[in-house]
Amino acid sequence: FRASDWKLDHPDWTGRLRVTSKGKTAYIKLEDKVSGELFAQAPIDQYPGIAVETVTDSSRYFVIRIQDGTGRSAFIGIGFTDRGDAFDFNVSLQDHFKWVKQETEISRESQEADTRPKLDLGFKEGQTIKLNIGNMTTKKGGVAKPRVSGSGGLSLLPPPPGGKIAVPPIPPPSSTAIANQVTPPPVLKSSNASSAGKH
């Protein structure tokens, strides 16, 4: 369809257009702009599709299939004076059918989930599991030993239940000073040295 083939300067009818929906079907309603009386409507079950088609020479004009209550249909050309209104019309139809597609997928997935066998993830009588937390392992009755992590640091153990954290005692300042000094060895006095002092 080409809009340039139509008598665009003398339209057969002018009014307002509303896009509504009921369930999965969208409706284009052409109404009188003053009274709101319905002039024609086009039910749309998919978009893009035969019920709404764009023209080849403009983004403001479309061909829609209108239907009456008896099932008779006709194709008419519609157009918008403003390009922004044509864009909004197009987006409204796309949004509706995007929602329809999501709803269909959600209902299909829920039906598939109902037909799948149910998994029994409960513990059986006497069944146990073993957990490895981080890089630490424990032995029964023993104390956990820290392992060196891949980055070169040590992982720290939590305090034992009900116990207190023992802080290593800080050495007194004097012992630190002594450890940092070099003390000369004691000089032993010989008997000769003492006798030489008496002369």
Side-chain angles (χ1 to χ4, degrees), residues 50-62:
I50 195 171
V52 181
E53 296 181 61
T54 57
V55 296
T56 58
D57 58 342
S58 176
S59 62
R60 294 186 296 127
Y61 294 91
F62 303 85

Side-chain angles (χ1 to χ4, degrees), residues 7 14 17 25 50 53 65-66 71 74 79-80 84 89 92 94 102 106 130 138 153 167-168 186 194:
K7 47 181 185 172
T14 304
L17 180 146
T25 305
I50 195 171
E53 296 181 61
R65 183 183 61 191
I66 57 172
F80 297 90
F89 169 72
S92 296
Q94 287 176 356
Q102 289 173 346
I106 289 170
K130 180 181 177 183
T138 58
V167 180
S194 59

Side-chain angles (χ1 to χ4, degrees), residues 21-38:
S21 67
K22 183 176 182 181
K24 295 183 178 182
T25 305
Y27 293 90
I28 298 172
K29 296 189 177 205
L30 303 176
E31 301 171 342
D32 184 276
K33 57 185 167 186
V34 177
S35 67
E37 183 182 351
L38 183 66

Side-chain angles (χ1 to χ4, degrees), residues 116-176:
R116 290 186 202 130
K118 301 287 187 273
L119 292 176
D120 182 13
L121 300 177
F123 283 107
K124 308 293 184 275
E125 176 112 17
Q127 185 178 12
T128 61
I129 60 171
K130 180 181 177 183
L131 297 176
N132 288 333
I133 301 173
N135 290 330
M136 299 168 42
T137 58
T138 58
K139 295 180 181 176
K140 279 190 175 178
V143 178
K145 296 179 181 177
R147 287 187 179 178
V148 177
S149 64
S151 62
L154 290 176
S155 54
L156 300 177
L157 296 176
K164 295 182 180 178
I165 299 173
V167 180
I170 299 173
S174 60
S175 64
T176 305

